[in-house]
Amino acid sequence: MRGIAGAVVLVTACTEPQVEDPSSVAILLGGGDGAFTLSEQAPSWFPRALAVADFDKDGCTDVAVANPKGVGVLFGTCHGTLRPLVQTELSEFELEGLNGAAALAAADINADGATDIVAASFGGAITCLRGEGDGHFQIGPATYFASGTRAVVLSDVNADGFHDLVIPSTRDGKVRVLLGDGAFSFRFAWEDDLGLTTYAAVTTDLNEDTYPDLVVTNWDPVPNHTLDVLRGNGTGMFVDGGAVGSGGGLAISAGDLNNDGHQDVVTSGDVVRVFFGDGLGGLSAPTLPTEERNTLSILVTDLNNDNHDDLVVLGTNGASVFLARDTAWPPPTVYETGDTPIGAVVSDFNMDGLIDIAVANSGGNTL
């Protein structure tokens, strides 16, 4: 990489179904101080979720997009712009009203040096797209689990060196763990019935025992939105660590937001809630960094290269950037990103050494 480390580029996605070809990708280039400047827009076709990697191994960051047809990739130019969408249609996702991909994650699953993609449909289909390293993928067969999937997490939860899958379900209220073998095979290993509408999950080491813990956010007005902590033991199974009442939401992220060396958790939904970790597996009562309501997603990353995790909140007004402080949250800077931003990822799109962010907006069909 070249240039000054630490700046962030914010890429936003919007969706406007009334337009014939509505999808586009809005890129906000960061200056390294937490501020952004709008760069460009590129087609993305009704984005639902994003993942970033160098899928064609040309040294430029690319963006994978979950959409109604399957998975598309916007290949990067290394100049802060993206090439036209290249679509991989997943026909099995169109069966039985599954309506395309709803979630995806990217990693080198088989350790061959090429990045792969795992895509999930709302109907319960999980498909692996094996990367060939040139931007093409071999599509594996679909495996069906519980429907209602809106998120998928790739993480090594049993410490065997292979990527595993964590899948929450909004339909049956369960979260499931599938253990990977490094060869695109995932076997069911564990599940927990949380009894609520489980929207999203994140793995992080809350009790600092080196094993990933699992935090699941639930969105259920009755009895309330809850946050469930499940403690990992390195085997792929988890032990109930308790629920935090009135703490769940539609999305979840983790990081050290108060610079105390312990992992914290953030959820978004009706409001944004920050739960500070104590390093022992416990979480504090939530604090609210903003009064903004109807927040759809959040992202935790260091935006201004000060070694403090900052916060991006995606809501109906756009992307609100909070630069973290040890004791207080300053007022955010709000950037227009398109209609209804729903998800974000980070990378460097213009090869200036400055971290970038991609945001998917479901209401305006841009990225």
Side-chain angles (χ1 to χ4, degrees):
M1 286 187 179
R2 305 179 297 276
I4 303 171
V8 175
V9 178
L10 180 58
V11 183
T12 66
C14 325
T15 304
E16 294 176 356
Q18 69 272 19
V19 181
E20 182 178 353
D21 185 10
S23 32
S24 63
V25 177
I27 299 179
L28 295 172
L29 300 177
D33 56 358
F36 300 88
T37 303
L38 181 64
S39 173
E40 72 130 20
Q41 293 187 343
S44 60
W45 187 254
F46 303 103
R48 295 169 174 173
L50 306 178
V52 290
D54 182 7
F55 294 108
D56 56 359
K57 300 173 74 171
D58 65 349
C60 305
T61 299
D62 311 312
V63 181
V65 182
N67 62 33
K69 291 185 177 181
V71 176
V73 177
L74 296 153
F75 291 98
T77 65
C78 289
H79 301 295
T81 60
L82 299 170
R83 295 188 175 92
L85 185 76
V86 177
Q87 183 69 37
T88 299
E89 295 191 15
L90 303 177
S91 58
E92 57 267 71
F93 278 19
E94 299 173 4
L95 300 176
E96 302 175 5
L98 301 184
N99 298 321
L104 77 172
D108 184 2
I109 293 174
N110 61 339
D112 65 350
T115 302
D116 313 300
I117 296 174
V118 175
S121 77
F122 188 71
I126 306 295
T127 295
C128 292
L129 285 72
R130 178 175 178 173
E132 297 182 354
D134 59 359
H136 294 88
F137 300 88
Q138 295 181 12
I139 303 173
T143 302
Y144 290 85
F145 292 93
S147 61
T149 302
R150 294 183 181 271
V152 59
V153 178
L154 277 170
S155 178
D156 182 8
V157 297
N158 64 340
D160 64 353
F162 300 132
H163 291 283
D164 309 308
L165 284 174
V166 178
I167 305 172
S169 170
T170 61
R171 287 278 178 87
D172 62 8
K174 294 181 180 180
V175 59
R176 292 171 173 84
V177 171
L178 312 178
L179 297 181
D181 63 358
F184 299 101
S185 178
F186 294 90
R187 63 176 178 85
F188 173 81
W190 176 89
E191 69 178 24
D192 191 11
D193 187 354
L194 301 177
L196 296 168
T197 307
T198 56
Y199 257 81
V202 65
T203 55
T204 187
D205 187 4
L206 288 178
N207 58 352
E208 300 171 12
D209 63 354
T210 74
Y211 300 128
D213 304 307
L214 181 59
V215 188
V216 182
T217 180
N218 307 293
W219 183 259
D220 199 339
V222 181
N224 53 31
H225 314 310
T226 63
L227 191 71
D228 282 275
V229 176
L230 303 165
R231 296 177 182 173
N233 58 15
T235 68
M237 297 184 179
F238 295 83
V239 178
D240 189 359
V244 179
S246 301
L250 300 173
I252 189 168
S253 189
D256 182 7
L257 285 164
N258 58 353
N259 203 36
D260 65 352
H262 306 312
Q263 287 291 291
D264 312 310
V265 175
V266 189
T267 63
S268 66
D270 53 346
V271 295
V272 176
R273 298 178 175 90
V274 177
F275 303 83
F276 294 110
D278 60 9
L280 302 175
L283 295 173
S284 70
T287 62
L288 278 62
T290 174
E291 295 182 359
E292 182 179 358
R293 306 189 70 82
N294 300 318
T295 56
L296 301 174
S297 187
I298 68 280
L299 175 68
V300 176
T301 190
D302 182 4
L303 299 174
N304 57 352
N305 200 33
D306 63 354
N307 296 317
H308 287 202
D309 281 336
D310 305 304
L311 182 63
V312 178
V313 176
L314 307 180
T316 54
N317 294 326
S320 299
V321 173
F322 295 82
L323 300 180
R325 300 292 183 267
D326 290 343
T327 58
W329 292 98
T333 302
V334 181
Y335 298 91
E336 292 187 8
T337 63
D339 189 8
T340 317
I342 61 170
V345 288
V346 296
S347 191
D348 178 9
F349 289 94
N350 58 350
M351 296 299 292
D352 61 355
L354 311 175
I355 294 287
D356 314 325
I357 307 175
V359 183
N361 308 296
S362 68
N365 229 16
T366 63
L367 188 98

